[in-house]
Amino acid sequence: MKQMIIKGGNTLSGTISIGGAKNSAVALIPAAVLANGISTIKNVPNISDRDALIDILELLNCQVTLNNDELVIDTTNLNNKLIKEEYSNRLRASYYFMGALLGREKYVEIYIPGGCNIGARPIDIHLDGFKALGATIKTEGNKYILSADKLIGTDIYLRFQSVGATINLMFASVYAEGKTTIHNAAQEVEIINIAEFLNNMGAKITGAGTNEITIEGIKELNGATISVVPDRLEAGTYIILGALAGDNLKITNIIPEHLEALTTKLKEIGTHITISKDAITLSKTSKLKPINIKTLVYPGFPTDIGQPMSVLLTQCDGTSLFEETIWENRMGHVPSLNKMGANITVSGMNAIIKGPTKLKGCEVVATDLRGGAALVIAGLIAEGETIITDVEHILRGYENITEKLTSVGAKIELKEI
Ligand code: EPU
């Protein structure tokens, strides 16, 4: 178990370089099993979700070599075994092996996925899509058995623009006979990255990034190379920190267009922000205006930046409203923020945030990945020492977080307890 200890109040200057996107990498790694041969994934973030997926690949007898941020995966000797619960429940994205193995092998046995406790997180949209392609689904306790004699392309209408279901159904349909169209598909930028990897392998996917994706089934996919798109959520977290504690804090290696929902709101608040081709530079502003935030599917305001953003709202001069629309349980960080001195009232999936409030360091608990990131921001602007427990949640998705923050002047360390 680890704790994070932060001494708050320092001004942060210098450059933070953003890594590859967690939510893209965690799908690209399982996608490798769709190809027969060697694939290379570049710009892979150094996060514990990466390691959990490598363990699953090795369980399936794939040969995996990690060299800094480059992952080489050889699937030549793939052995399609049961993915046991202690492997699947370490992260949400283990469920991408459902679509990938069903697609390639027409058979998969896997236990339920894990992931942050931010809502019920059903997978009915994935399963309905697999069934529409011709798969049979059986459950034995927590285990799913998906099988098909053959998969046949069809029209699939998602009842919600689910990111995971869109990706899983792209995986399951690449080898299906004929054409599959995913209607009401999620449009997140990570999905474009994943479709590009599959197309590099030889797949025929068009429309990724729009709400209608078409997949022409093919017979063979070969190993390919892809670079993980920059992590807009890691970037968003540090950008918000820059607005609160920066003195020309530069966030580089980003694609600013992917962050427009956030930067538009930051301008509305009155933040000093300079946007260039692949970087955003921020400095702390003394008077911030309150605003309303409503999280939405891409290109709306990302749910994954809502919790970090709520810390910024505690420093705005007046009352802000933070509405979460994707996850039922994304307010887990609020009791900790209130313990630090914030004035936040939660009602269901909404929070009313009154500011500005002085934050004071104390012992708080990371209940989930982005909630934990919100507490890191809060600790860095608080007076005194903040101790964050359950930081494993944070390390699942933020690579080298203490090193990156220390390099710009933060006082932050990880301690084994
Ligand atoms: N949903 C269903 N049934 C399904 C699938 C989803 O009801 O079969 C519901 C969910 O319960 C939720 C909504 O649809 O209310 C959105 O779920 P989605 O499937 O889009 O989310 P996901 O694929 O499980 C990914 C990211 C999340 C991010 C969401 C939304 C990964 C591994 N996770 O989750 O990231 O919040 O998309 O953008 O890519 C994070 O990074 O902190 C994180 C939680």
Side-chain angles (χ1 to χ4, degrees):
M1 289 249 290
K2 289 191 177 88
Q3 272 185 349
M4 199 177 265
I5 299 167
I6 301 174
K7 290 204 171 59
N10 281 17
T11 301
L12 308 178
S13 314
T15 301
I16 296 181
S17 181
I18 297 304
K22 168 183 95 72
N23 288 349
S24 197
V26 297
L28 291 169
I29 296 171
V33 305
L34 281 161
N36 189 10
I38 300 174
S39 289
T40 303
I41 309 174
K42 299 180 177 179
N43 198 32
V44 177
N46 176 8
I47 51 176
S48 60
D49 273 9
R50 171 202 68 183
D51 302 332
L53 291 167
I54 291 175
D55 287 346
I56 298 180
L57 285 174
E58 288 178 341
L59 175 81
L60 299 173
N61 208 36
C62 297
Q63 200 184 321
V64 184
T65 317
L66 177 65
N67 208 339
N68 299 320
D69 64 355
E70 190 171 297
L71 197 57
V72 179
I73 302 164
D74 184 351
T75 66
T76 313
N77 299 316
L78 178 94
N79 178 0
N80 186 12
K81 282 199 253 185
L82 164 71
I83 300 175
K84 294 182 262 179
E85 192 153 14
E86 63 262 38
Y87 285 80
S88 67
N89 74 8
R90 282 167 65 191
L91 77 171
R92 191 78 197 153
S94 57
Y95 66 13
Y96 289 131
F97 283 98
M98 282 187 171
L101 288 171
L102 181 67
R104 172 166 160 167
E105 302 281 306
K106 312 285 174 284
Y107 187 82
V108 53
E109 276 189 54
I110 183 169
Y111 276 86
I112 51 164
C116 285
N117 177 21
I118 50 177
R121 308 194 85 170
I123 58 166
D124 57 307
I125 304 175
H126 306 234
L127 300 179
D128 287 348
F130 296 145
K131 279 188 216 155
L133 289 166
T136 303
I137 295 163
K138 280 197 281 182
T139 50
E140 287 174 7
N142 282 343
K143 186 171 77 171
Y144 289 91
I145 305 166
L146 280 56
S147 62
D149 292 332
K150 59 180 176 182
L151 297 168
I152 299 178
T154 186
D155 282 283
I156 301 173
Y157 295 83
L158 307 188
R159 70 168 170 79
F160 183 86
Q161 286 186 296
S162 156
V163 174
T166 301
I167 295 170
N168 242 336
L169 295 172
M170 286 199 302
F171 291 169
S173 57
V174 279
Y175 284 116
E177 277 175 27
K179 185 172 97 175
T180 301
T181 304
I182 307 173
H183 301 270
N184 199 32
Q187 303 181 108
E188 267 68 1
V189 295
E190 292 76 18
I191 292 170
I192 304 174
N193 199 206
I194 293 150
E196 193 188 340
F197 186 35
L198 299 177
N199 284 342
N200 291 350
M201 292 175 178
K204 290 193 175 150
I205 301 176
T206 52
T210 75
N211 63 5
E212 192 171 296
I213 301 178
T214 302
I215 303 112
E216 295 279 354
I218 42 84
K219 293 223 163 2
E220 200 184 332
L221 291 177
N222 297 307
T225 298
I226 189 75
S227 183
V228 183
V229 70
D231 196 321
R232 64 195 164 93
L233 309 172
E234 183 198 19
T237 305
Y238 293 131
I239 286 169
I240 291 166
L241 178 60
L244 285 165
D247 176 12
N248 283 313
L249 183 70
K250 188 173 181 182
I251 316 300
T252 60
N253 256 339
I254 59 167
I255 301 175
E257 297 78 58
H258 294 173
L259 285 150
E260 268 171 10
L262 172 64
T263 50
T264 304
K265 283 293 176 191
L266 290 179
K267 286 178 194 159
E268 201 182 317
I269 285 183
T271 306
H272 290 309
I273 176 165
T274 311
I275 304 175
S276 63
K277 195 169 138 277
D278 66 349
I280 292 183
T281 307
L282 301 101
S283 292
K284 179 180 170 174
T285 314
S286 52
K287 200 162 164 64
L288 299 169
K289 285 186 229 136
I291 51 157
N292 295 339
I293 298 283
K294 183 174 185 169
T295 66
L296 292 167
V297 295
Y298 192 83
F301 193 92
T303 170
D304 302 323
I305 305 184
Q307 289 163 299
M309 190 69 176
S310 66
V311 182
L312 180 57
L313 300 183
T314 68
Q315 302 308 306
C316 292
D317 194 3
T319 302
S320 299
L321 175 65
F322 163 36
E323 275 182 84
E324 166 64 24
T325 71
I326 312 286
W327 300 111
E328 315 87 270
N329 190 17
R330 246 199 159 153
M331 300 291 172
H333 63 304
V334 171
S336 287
L337 286 183
N338 282 343
K339 189 175 170 193
M340 293 176 79
N343 182 349
I344 306 177
T345 312
V346 174
S347 164
M349 289 164 72
N350 299 334
I352 293 168
I353 304 176
K354 290 192 177 143
T357 43
K358 231 181 178 8
L359 300 183
K360 282 206 168 137
C362 60
E363 187 167 331
V364 291
V365 50
T367 53
D368 58 86
L369 168 61
R370 308 296 171 188
L375 298 182
V376 174
I377 298 176
L380 288 168
I381 63 165
E383 194 183 293
E385 184 175 271
T386 299
I387 298 173
I388 308 179
T389 57
D390 285 2
V391 286
E392 283 70 18
H393 287 296
I394 304 173
L395 306 180
R396 284 194 28 234
Y398 288 87
E399 67 167 8
N400 308 330
I401 183 166
T402 51
E403 291 84 349
K404 287 189 184 187
L405 288 169
T406 303
S407 76
V408 293
K411 293 264 174 291
I412 177 167
E413 59 174 340
L414 274 178
K415 206 166 128 190
E416 201 73 49
I417 49 165

